[in-house]
């Protein structure tokens, strides 16, 4: 009588070696492990016990992904006859890098940026070789191959970005100084001579180099200072939420510790106008005049300022930090290469280099998250007395109601003028040479009014 073959009596290629139920289980284990790793990474990054620093949150993400690979190794060995022990390699690699970042943070982050891309590529190649041998079903291999391809792409992109950021740092040394404003240092660069000193505020998501047309033109007539808000350009990131009130406080500290005496003429473009208004509201004696360049309007009916606590849990901040890690893979650099082309060559290259960094991407996201608070805080300036104020508006591309909001800003002072630059757009008032010249002239007009005591020419 013929006997049925058993798995033990067959060779490795026998169809009876693994039951169909076990094969189905392995497919679900592969899919479930990868999904669990992603969910664990997001949960770890959001956990309150993980310090609110880029290195720590990146480490938490890596530990979560490591857990997914470890699950694949453990569950496949426990519930199937196809144990995927090779999955321990990415688990150990990712987990080891994550623990180093959690334990040591920034000091080890810079080193790992050079180590992890080639090491991950080696791990990916080894994974693919082992998976071809151990995952007998083509459909299950197809679940892992896209993941392996993504990891390989990440390793190449991360390596290229690390090299390019090092090249940028050598090509664009910092001019000016770094000043400690309490927990982080901000970049400050002052040129020209004379008084009053002009302080320039770039728009949302921008750094000081985007003022490459305006700063030199103003420096020809008086002293002008440009600076980078926290996380931009050469400035260090801050651990506290950067709303208008905090930005104004940091700027005040920066100017005091940087030995820049006031009172100042503040000139802010777009969101920078909000920060100029918030500064004038908090430090009225330190502001002699102001230029609002197509400024974002403050709240029309401001409510009470939201409570601010430096030690509170900041979920939006953690989300922005997770998203900003994409810049470590060069995504910010791709965007930057399409922008800033109308600036002077040196300013263009500096702005593009800064836009590629994770720090700038994170600070830009945070700036918009804090936008609601900033418009409320800017509205605290109810009047500017008789101090000279120029409101400059773009002649094209503005939304309905924008002109009325600019007119309202001009009513803050009894010595004000609202000018519209025909043909200019919101961005070109800073980025295009001809339109930026109109902005610089408005600033110099305020300086001239202060020096002469003559009201602005309407």
């Amino acid at each position: 009588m013929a006997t049925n073959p058993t798995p033990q009596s067959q060779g490795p290629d026998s169809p009876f070696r693994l039951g169909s139920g076990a094969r189905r289980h392995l497919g679900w284990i592969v899919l479930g492990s990868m999904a669990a790793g992603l969910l664990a990474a997001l949960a770890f990054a959001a956990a309150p016990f993980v310090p609110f620093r880029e290195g720590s949150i990146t480490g938490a993400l890596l530990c979560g992904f490591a857990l997914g690979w470890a699950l694949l190794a453990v569950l496949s060995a426990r519930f199937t006859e196809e144990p995927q022990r090779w999955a321990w390699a990415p688990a150990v690699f990712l987990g080891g890098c994550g623990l180093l970042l959690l334990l040591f943070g920034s000091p080890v982050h810079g080193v790992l940026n050079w180590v992890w891309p080639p090491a991950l590529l080696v791990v990916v190649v080894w994974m693919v070789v082992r998976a071809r041998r151990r995952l007998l079903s083509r459909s299950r291999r197809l679940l892992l191959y896209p993941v392996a391809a993504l990891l390989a792409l990440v390793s190449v992109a991360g390596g290229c970005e690390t090299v390019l950021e090092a090249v940028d740092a050598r090509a664009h040394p910092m001019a000016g100084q770094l000043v400690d404003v309490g927990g982080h240092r901000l970049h400050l660069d002052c040129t020209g001579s004379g008084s009053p000193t002009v302080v320039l505020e770039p728009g949302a998501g921008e750094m000081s180099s985007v003022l490459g047309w305006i700063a030199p033109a103003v420096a020809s007539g008086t002293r002008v200072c440009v600076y980078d808000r926290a996380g931009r350009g050469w400035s260090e990131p801050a651990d506290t939420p950067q709303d208008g009130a905090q930005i104004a406080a940091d700027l005040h500290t920066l100017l005091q510790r940087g030995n820049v005496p006031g009172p100042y003429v503040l000139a802010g473009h777009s969101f920078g106008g909000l920060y100029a208004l918030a500064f004038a509201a908090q430090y009225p004696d330190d502001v002699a005049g102001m230029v609002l360049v197509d400024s974002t309007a403050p709240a029309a009916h401001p409510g009470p300022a939201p409570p601010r606590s430096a030690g509170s849990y900041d979920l939006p901040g953690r989300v922005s930090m997770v998203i900003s890690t994409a810049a470590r893979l060069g995504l910010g650099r791709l965007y930057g290469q399409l922008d800033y082309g109308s600036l002077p060559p040196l300013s263009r290259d500096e702005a593009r280099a800064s836009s590629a960094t994770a720090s700038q991407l994170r600070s830009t996201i945070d700036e918009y998250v804090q936008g609601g608070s900033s418009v409320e805080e800017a509205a605290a300036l109810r009047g500017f007395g008789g101090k000279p104020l120029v409101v400059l508006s773009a002649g094209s591309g503005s939304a309905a109601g924008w002109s009325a909001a600019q007119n309202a800003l001009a009513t803050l002072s009894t010595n004000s003028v609202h000018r519209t630059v025909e043909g200019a757009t919101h961005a070109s008032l800073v980025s295009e040479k001809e339109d930026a010249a109109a902005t610089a002239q408005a600033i110099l007009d305020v300086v001239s009014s202060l020096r002469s005591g003559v009201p602005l020419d309407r």
Side-chain angles (χ1 to χ4, degrees):
M1 179 177 176
T3 59
N4 292 327
T6 64
Q8 291 79 9
S9 65
Q10 305 302 311
D13 297 326
S14 169
F16 298 97
R17 184 171 180 267
L18 187 66
S20 60
R23 286 184 180 275
R24 287 194 298 270
H25 290 161
L26 183 57
W28 285 110
I29 286 171
V30 171
L31 185 60
S33 298
M34 297 298 98
L38 176 60
L39 293 176
L42 297 176
F44 289 170
F49 56 80
V50 174
F52 186 56
R53 296 189 298 269
E54 183 187 358
S56 299
I57 291 182
T58 302
L61 286 169
L62 294 178
C63 287
F65 290 130
L67 179 61
W69 291 105
L71 282 174
L72 175 57
V74 171
L75 296 179
S76 64
R78 175 67 177 83
F79 295 106
T80 77
E81 294 180 28
E82 280 188 283
Q84 306 301 311
R85 297 185 180 90
W86 57 267
W88 283 113
V92 170
F93 174 75
L94 296 175
C97 290
L99 288 175
L100 285 173
L101 288 171
L102 283 170
L103 293 174
F104 302 105
S106 297
V108 78
H109 204 175
V111 176
L112 282 180
N113 282 340
W114 290 96
V115 173
W116 74 260
L120 178 60
L121 190 58
V122 170
V123 170
V124 169
V125 172
W126 189 83
M127 284 168 48
V128 171
V129 171
R130 299 297 298 175
R132 285 180 62 86
R133 296 176 181 175
R134 301 300 304 172
L135 280 172
L136 303 183
S137 168
R138 181 173 178 271
S139 63
R140 280 185 288 280
R141 288 200 299 269
L142 290 178
L143 290 173
L144 282 180
Y145 285 175
V147 176
L150 178 61
L151 290 176
L153 180 62
V154 163
S155 68
V156 173
C160 290
E161 180 59 28
T162 298
V163 171
L164 290 174
E165 287 190 14
V167 171
D168 287 338
R170 292 177 63 88
H172 308 298
M174 182 190 72
Q177 59 180 321
L178 286 175
V179 179
D180 191 332
V181 297
H184 61 285
R185 298 181 299 170
L186 297 183
H187 166 240
L188 175 68
D189 184 26
C190 298
T191 54
S193 61
S195 64
T197 297
V198 173
V199 179
L200 302 179
E201 279 276 11
E206 304 294 2
M207 59 151 334
S208 56
S209 293
V210 302
L211 303 167
W213 290 122
I214 297 173
V218 175
S220 67
T222 192
R223 192 182 191 202
V224 60
C225 295
V226 296
Y227 85 107
D228 291 316
R229 295 192 288 271
R232 311 279 171 80
W234 292 278
S235 289
E236 296 174 347
D239 292 333
T240 54
Q242 295 292 292
D243 57 10
Q246 185 62 55
I247 287 171
D250 284 351
L251 175 57
H252 187 260
T253 303
L254 173 68
L255 295 171
Q256 295 298 307
R257 295 183 180 179
N259 299 314
V260 183
Y264 317 102
V265 171
L266 301 181
H269 173 241
S270 190
F271 256 48
L274 293 177
Y275 308 139
L277 291 166
F279 188 100
Q282 290 180 236
Y283 310 102
D285 294 338
D286 289 333
V287 182
M290 193 156 44
V291 180
L292 301 175
V293 185
D294 222 35
S295 171
T296 303
H301 305 288
R308 300 168 68 237
S309 174
S312 60
Y313 180 76
D314 183 13
L315 179 59
R318 288 174 180 266
V319 172
S320 71
M321 195 172 287
V322 170
I323 295 173
S324 68
T325 57
R328 298 286 182 189
L329 309 179
L331 297 184
R333 186 172 299 275
L334 293 176
Y335 163 76
Q337 298 308 305
L338 303 176
D339 206 356
Y340 308 114
S342 58
L343 290 175
L346 178 59
S347 299
R348 174 200 64 204
D349 294 342
E350 289 173 345
R352 285 177 173 176
S354 181
S355 69
T357 64
S359 177
Q360 178 143 330
L361 179 56
R362 177 201 157 193
S363 67
T364 300
I365 296 171
D366 288 345
E367 188 163 34
Y368 286 108
V369 170
Q370 299 296 329
S373 297
S374 296
V375 298
E376 297 279 348
E377 291 154 355
L381 183 67
R382 302 300 177 87
F384 203 47
K387 298 176 182 179
L389 166 66
V390 173
V391 176
L392 209 61
S393 298
S396 63
S398 299
W402 186 264
S403 180
Q406 301 298 297
N407 284 329
L409 287 173
T411 64
L412 287 171
S413 172
T414 57
N415 180 18
S416 68
V417 60
H418 180 192
R419 301 174 183 170
T420 298
V421 182
E422 296 301 330
T425 65
H426 181 74
S428 74
L429 286 170
V430 169
S431 62
E432 299 286 347
K433 185 176 182 179
E434 182 177 349
D435 295 338
T439 300
Q441 186 58 56
I443 296 171
L444 290 173
D445 288 346
V446 170
V447 171
S448 178
S449 176
L450 288 167
R451 288 175 177 173
S452 65
V454 176
L456 291 166
D457 186 4
R458 295 177 181 273

